[in-house]
Amino acid sequence: MITLLQKARPENRTDHMNDRVGAFFKVVLGQSGVLRDPIPGIAHFFTFWGFILIQFGLLNLILGSFNGSLPFLGDNRIFAIVLDVFVVLVMFALIVFAIRRGIVRPKQLNSSLHGPWDGFIILGLILLVILTLALVESFEYAASNGAAWTPIGAFLYPLLGHASQGTNVIAYRTFWWLHMLTVLGFLIYLPRSKHLHLMATPFNVFFRSYRPKGELPLIENLEDREDYGVSKVEQFTWKQLLDGYACTECGRCNTVCPALNTGKPLYPKEIILGVKEALFVRSGEILGQDSIYNRLGVAGISADKTPEEKEDHHEPLVGGIISKEALWSCTTCMACMEICPVSIEHVPKIVDMRRSLVMEESDFPQEVTSLFNNIERNGNPWEISNDKRAEWAADLDIPLLGENPEAEVLYWVGCMGSFDRRNQQVATSVAKVLKAANVDFAILGPEESCTGDPARRIGNEYLWQMQAMQNIETLNGYGFNTKATSNGDGDKEQTEAATAVATATALTNKHRTIITACPHCFNTIKNEYPQLGGNYEVVHHTVFIDSLMAEEKLKLLEGFDKRKLTYHDPCYVGRYNDTYDEPRRVLTVLNSNGVTEMQRNRNKSFCCGGGGGRVWMEEKVGKRVNQTRVNEALETNAEVLAAGCPFCITMFEDGVKGVEAEEKMKVEDISEIIARAIETK
């Protein structure tokens, strides 16, 4: 299994060593991830630590057969008490797991790749381990006349009857061997079972990503490559394959996926298990027909038993084991990654497979053809000339950066704010707020172009890099780059182009900031442009407005808005960039009732359905994601659904119309509420 990882693409995961060690103690030893779901989490906590302690007990039993014992622990009564307490706790945990799997049977535990038998076999093996251990302790206590004291041995011995010492010795030796064979048999079964996560999770957590959460991996040397993205399992990185080993099959990712929860054919858990299954099925080809693994017959064994299942698993990875419909259903909201207790990274895998479909096979939803063409030709998603990008600001007396090149703040308007009529109102409101606070700002106008975010999330990495380099050159020319060199992730030509900022940074020494009302522009410029040498201070407009209020540059009428409102956390501001408090602080000042939270909020927020390029695609299967989220907002009885994202606003206004709630709820950007408060004042 390690050799298979070595055959995958390399990836450096040795940075942030202090954080990695800390995560190991917190997530692995402290079980912080699984404890977020209390009942199965606590049961898992006891099972995990019981397993660890039982291994020490096992070593002690082995040494005991040679008349030895573990140093400090072997004859230690405190260790004996702790071990037996955890044996009892594991027994209770197994009861919880059995009830959950056999009676409650939550949907997330189901798997199309593995039947329920695997989970019950694991529970049976664990039960057998602790039962044989309990009987070993009991008969050892009896055979030694109480010298080998353990709480379970002392408790069970009277219940076993008073046999002769010879009989007790034979029984002790019998159950000693049964215990050993059970544990060793468990080890043989473990690699092809869901319990493989026991061995892989510590490493998967240790090697988790510490790059920005909103940063997709860069495809380097695009012009010279023979492949783009992933169409074969061995094209993943070793860490992406390790994710499959570490998957506990708990299904938490399925419970939060907006696509699956609205009837789309996307099961995040099955994406991870599908990659793992494809790896095992192709292991013979990957390792080589003449490898020792093939000669021993341990490569390419399917996890399931029937000929039909084996045949299914020999389908191609993309379009076979993992359906194209599943890949295109993803909104890249990252809820699956946020809730995963073992640091599995679902979204980059999905985008990598999309890249293969888009750039190698030109196989993508028909609706996005015009999106790609328009971004490439016009610098925006529509058939509108980019020369008209600043027309929304014609009567607002907003300078272009070319007219005021030393402006302290660049307002990056984005395509939605520049061309979409509804979101032009948001752009106008942001400008009014900045003017009211006397911020020295400017816009790029026709010099601004689409950041490329929708293209990259859909899988068109080439178009994203083209757009990114164009925007980076523009921003660097105005001296916004905070570094004179790139981080080395781009190819040689890109790095040379990026490092040319040395001359441009001499333009001004003032502290300069880019603000934007679009979370997708914000995330791309902040977290992804550094891959190509563009390093900027980028702030979402809600955070910037909060700072203006904190510095008393912007004074608002407190309690101005008497309407009941709720707030939606955009995925690319919340989960991607951990921004939750600032928008709420602003709204709490404006609204006397504060924020009435939806059931799913903050890092558990439910996606609007527009991310991952989905805003440009038709939603043909299941319920509409935007209507599902609007219905959640309506449950709060709020009159206003406040947002901080143009995609969310577009999706929610369509959703409000779809559920016929135009008279009940309005959708407004935070800046629009503030602009009205300023005008009233």
Side-chain angles (χ1 to χ4, degrees), residues 630-649:
V630 165
N631 282 328
E632 288 186 5
L634 289 169
E635 289 174 3
T636 67
N637 295 316
E639 301 165 75
V640 179
L641 172 52
C645 171
F647 290 177
C648 294
I649 289 172

Side-chain angles (χ1 to χ4, degrees), residues 23-287:
F24 175 83
F25 278 96
K26 179 182 178 182
V27 179
V28 178
L29 300 184
Q31 296 281 285
S32 62
V34 296
L35 287 171
R36 285 183 292 183
D37 195 352
I39 294 177
I42 293 171
H44 191 279
F45 178 89
F46 290 143
T47 306
F48 170 80
W49 276 105
F51 179 87
I52 299 297
L53 292 168
I54 287 170
Q55 302 320 301
F56 284 105
L58 178 74
L59 290 173
N60 200 47
L61 286 176
I62 294 173
L63 291 173
S65 67
F66 297 97
N67 297 319
S69 63
L70 278 177
F72 307 110
L73 299 180
D75 299 318
N76 190 321
R77 288 203 168 195
I78 295 177
F79 173 71
I81 293 171
V82 172
L83 173 61
D84 284 5
V85 165
F86 270 90
V87 167
V88 173
L89 291 173
V90 170
M91 179 65 76
F92 283 113
L94 291 178
I95 294 172
V96 171
F97 290 140
I99 293 172
R100 193 162 182 260
R101 285 186 171 274
I103 300 175
V104 180
R105 289 188 284 187
K107 288 183 179 179
Q108 69 261 29
L109 293 180
N110 297 336
S111 172
S112 62
L113 285 170
H114 301 285
W117 48 267
D118 187 39
F120 288 110
I121 289 173
I122 295 295
L123 294 181
L125 285 169
I126 297 174
L127 177 62
L128 199 55
V129 168
I130 61 174
L131 285 179
T132 53
L133 176 59
L135 290 169
V136 167
E137 290 186 358
S138 299
F139 286 109
E140 185 180 23
Y141 177 89
S144 66
N145 293 317
W149 182 89
T150 57
I152 288 179
F155 176 76
L156 290 181
Y157 170 65
L159 304 178
L160 298 175
H162 296 281
S164 67
Q165 187 175 18
T167 302
N168 288 330
V169 170
I170 292 172
Y172 164 67
R173 290 177 176 174
T174 300
F175 284 107
W176 186 96
W177 277 109
L178 283 175
H179 183 65
M180 294 298 159
L181 291 172
T182 301
V183 173
L184 295 175
F186 203 152
L187 286 174
I188 294 170
Y189 182 71
L190 187 146
R192 290 300 303 169
S193 74
K194 67 180 287 295
H195 222 59
L196 174 60
H197 74 265
L198 184 74
M199 306 300 292
T201 291
F203 298 99
N204 208 57
V205 170
F206 184 82
F207 290 118
R208 68 193 297 182
S209 175
Y210 282 93
R211 302 179 77 85
K213 289 190 286 186
E215 177 188 337
L216 287 173
L218 180 74
I219 298 182
E220 300 183 20
N221 305 313
L222 269 174
E223 300 291 346
D224 303 324
R225 297 181 70 92
E226 296 182 358
D227 56 58
Y228 308 91
V230 171
S231 59
K232 298 178 181 178
V233 69
E234 61 266 32
Q235 293 173 324
F236 283 115
T237 69
W238 65 266
K239 172 58 175 66
Q240 289 177 314
L241 297 182
L242 181 62
D243 280 350
Y245 294 3
C247 181
T248 67
E249 301 189 29
C250 66
R252 286 175 173 85
C253 51
N254 287 352
T255 65
V256 297
C257 176
L260 177 59
N261 278 269
T262 53
K264 315 299 187 295
L266 171 58
Y267 292 78
K269 180 174 79 172
E270 302 302 313
I271 297 286
I272 304 304
L273 296 181
V275 170
K276 172 186 171 183
E277 199 59 37
L279 176 66
F280 287 174
V281 169
R282 282 185 46 81
S283 60
E285 300 170 55
I286 295 169
L287 297 175

Side-chain angles (χ1 to χ4, degrees), residues 1 19 43 56 95 121 202 205 218 228 233 251 268 285 327-328 386 516 537 554 607:
M1 296 178 78
D19 293 326
F56 284 105
I95 294 172
I121 289 173
V205 170
L218 180 74
Y228 308 91
V233 69
E285 300 170 55
L327 297 178
W328 293 122
N386 212 46
T516 179
E537 182 179 320
L554 184 66
C607 182

